[in-house]
Amino acid sequence: PKPNIDPTAVLIKAYACQRRTPLKHHNSFLTDALEILSQNAEYNDNEGRSVAFRRAASVLKALPYRVKNMEDLKSLPCLGDHSQRVIKEILEDGSSREVESTRQSDQFQAMKALTGIFGVGVRTADRWFREGLRSPDDLFRTGQQLNRAQQAGVQYYDDLQKPVTKAEADVISDIVEKAVRAVLPGAEIRLMGGFRRGKEVGHDVDFLITHPEEGKEEGLMPKITNWLEEQGLLLYQKTTRNSYLEKMDGPARAPNNMDRFERCFSIFKLQTGSERASVSGWRAVRVDLVVSPYSQFAFATLGWTGSKLFERELRRWAGQEKHMSLSSHALFDSKQNLYLRAKTEEEIFAYLGLEFIPPSERNA
Ligand code: CTP
Ligand code: MN
Ligand code: MN
Ligand code: MN
């Protein structure tokens, strides 16, 4: 709350990667509503509309004041007609009819419940919705064919719905460090994703692993997961090999946000409760592990810190404003036709002509 800010004097840049977006901001009453519409557009496979609402919400997160009237929005970018209508209604009536009816709709609630299952994407959830299914219980009841990930998703549904706390993330960090040290001395481990941005809770815990000697990291993931499995710490894991080839990353590459590091989607069995054996137990926690060669570590760090919109905007900025192509592996400069090497995130921002934004202000 800063009462003396003149909204018309605040300059907000158009790309999220040009702005500082703190975790806590002044306009959740508006951004929550816009994000419902964004999510609903995603459920309806309308990516353009989904991103438009998400960008509008993100602009409001960067404001150093609470929006009081439409005048406050006059000089802001990324606010389309539809977003402005929604904001106006909330400012005038306290809520938006479109948002409330969306939030309460059968489709929205079912899609939220079904895509909330680990291993279930929008396409699968939509098919199930059109077949009349509404919840994880319905899948079980009707005997749907589930793949291994989805089976784990249903089995651990309740635990995986519960937010992961920073304290739990720290316990998992210790476990991952111990596992990695046991199989590859000298390796480096970094906590990524929302927790690196300063979040107090998350839907999972993300780690990036590397080794200062290039090549030592090859084939590391199976060794880590074997160690964890032997300790009885894994409830589920799926490892995918590194499939990155630098020459494919230039302008000829099809646009695909997915990186090609050696990675593991897993579910940890985390001991919980007090020392008193009678009340101790365990819970399931989603953990993502990624292994990066040292030469790509800065790009991987930038790519795995998020937020998702911040990442998307970085890539859009690189392509549209700089004729460069940014991924979690590399930065390719189309004008010079060469890869730009970087050891730190700061260097990458500098190549892109952007002011460095620290992780805690990438909550776009
Ligand atoms: N990411 C990615 N490829 C994926 C999934 C995620 O590159 N297939 C990146 C995202 O771009 C993001 C980071 O990994 O930068 C973390 O993603 P995720 O765990 O989904 O989100 P968080 O920001 O950590 O939020 P949460 O607290 O909900 O986990
Ligand atoms: Mn519209
Ligand atoms: Mn995460
Ligand atoms: Mn993740």
Side-chain angles (χ1 to χ4, degrees):
K2 291 175 191 164
N4 299 325
I5 290 167
D6 172 9
T8 57
V10 174
L11 181 71
I12 300 289
K13 300 262 182 64
Y15 287 80
C17 55
Q18 296 176 288
R19 314 187 287 254
R20 293 172 178 269
T21 312
L23 192 58
K24 288 180 183 142
H25 60 87
H26 309 279
N27 292 293
S28 311
F29 74 113
L30 297 173
T31 60
D32 288 352
L34 293 169
E35 283 176 345
I36 294 277
L37 298 183
S38 169
Q39 200 166 30
N40 192 53
E42 203 178 310
Y43 293 158
N44 286 294
D45 200 25
N46 192 336
E47 200 190 358
R49 189 178 163 93
S50 173
V51 174
F53 283 128
R54 205 163 288 280
R55 281 204 193 110
S58 182
V59 162
L60 303 182
K61 292 180 189 178
L63 295 180
Y65 55 87
R66 182 181 166 100
V67 174
K68 298 252 164 50
N69 52 60
M70 294 306 282
E71 286 290 290
D72 292 352
L73 306 174
K74 242 172 33 192
S75 55
L76 299 181
C78 306
L79 296 179
D81 290 347
H82 199 150
S83 293
Q84 293 197 37
R85 275 207 311 280
V86 171
I87 294 168
K88 188 161 185 281
E89 205 181 335
I90 296 173
L91 291 174
E92 287 170 359
D93 307 340
S95 68
S96 145
R97 279 161 302 171
E98 184 185 2
V99 172
E100 294 320 312
S101 69
T102 300
R103 207 197 293 269
Q104 279 152 33
S105 78
D106 192 30
Q107 186 201 19
F108 184 82
Q109 292 194 358
M111 289 297 287
K112 196 174 156 80
L114 294 171
T115 58
I117 304 169
F118 173 65
V120 178
V122 165
R123 207 164 286 181
T124 304
D126 184 60
R127 177 164 49 80
W128 284 338
F129 173 70
R130 283 184 282 105
E131 287 170 14
L133 306 176
R134 296 292 177 265
S135 70
D137 281 345
D138 291 347
L139 300 180
F140 194 71
R141 202 170 37 72
T142 58
Q144 290 294 313
Q145 282 285 344
L146 302 178
N147 64 31
R148 205 167 61 84
Q150 293 162 349
Q151 282 170 31
V154 171
Q155 186 172 358
Y156 304 115
Y157 186 77
D158 292 338
D159 269 2
L160 299 185
Q161 290 296 106
K162 282 187 236 154
V164 184
T165 65
K166 180 61 167 58
E168 288 171 324
D170 289 338
V171 173
I172 291 171
S173 294
D174 289 343
I175 294 169
V176 171
E177 260 174 44
K178 208 170 156 195
V180 174
R181 273 211 207 100
V183 299
L184 182 64
E188 292 174 17
I189 300 119
R190 205 178 259 181
L191 182 60
M192 306 302 302
F195 288 113
R196 183 163 189 251
R197 300 196 308 276
K199 282 177 70 175
E200 280 145 27
V201 296
H203 97 282
D204 69 357
V205 195
D206 307 287
F207 294 96
L208 182 58
I209 303 158
T210 190
H211 192 285
E213 223 176 294
E214 186 95 356
K216 283 262 188 190
E217 82 292 342
E218 272 174 41
L220 178 56
M221 195 70 84
K223 292 179 193 155
I224 298 172
T225 53
N226 281 343
W227 190 94
L228 292 166
E229 222 138 46
E230 278 165 18
Q231 307 283 318
L233 294 166
L234 286 186
L235 297 165
Y236 168 90
Q237 69 95 4
K238 184 178 166 136
T239 297
T240 52
R241 295 199 322 273
N242 181 343
S243 60
Y244 178 69
L245 289 169
E246 189 169 88
K247 63 180 186 297
M248 287 171 60
D249 212 45
R253 184 174 67 96
N256 179 356
N257 300 336
M258 202 66 186
D259 64 63
R260 280 144 288 138
F261 289 118
E262 188 177 37
R263 58 174 297 168
C264 176
F265 299 100
S266 75
I267 301 176
F268 270 47
K269 181 174 180 174
L270 179 68
Q271 296 301 318
T272 57
S274 71
E275 285 88 82
R276 283 167 48 226
S278 59
V279 291
S280 79
W282 59 271
R283 66 160 291 190
V285 179
R286 274 273 298 114
V287 176
D288 284 337
L289 303 172
V290 181
V291 171
S292 153
Y294 204 62
S295 59
Q296 298 171 20
F297 193 53
F299 296 99
T301 300
L302 180 57
W304 276 82
T305 298
S307 69
K308 285 197 183 91
L309 183 68
F310 191 90
E311 302 293 338
R312 192 184 177 109
E313 293 277 277
L314 270 176
R315 291 191 297 267
R316 190 167 70 94
W317 167 270
Q320 292 188 353
E321 306 295 330
K322 297 288 156 179
H323 303 285
M324 292 181 185
S325 154
L326 175 69
S327 75
S328 294
H329 300 274
L331 180 60
F332 184 81
D333 184 336
S334 301
K335 281 188 188 152
Q336 302 182 68
N337 200 36
L338 57 79
Y339 285 95
L340 302 167
R341 306 290 161 186
K343 286 212 161 351
T344 63
E345 289 185 312
E346 282 84 348
E347 288 172 73
I348 304 171
F349 279 89
Y351 281 136
L352 291 169
L354 292 168
E355 182 198 344
F356 178 71
I357 309 289
S360 62
E361 305 201 82
R362 295 181 203 163
N363 289 292

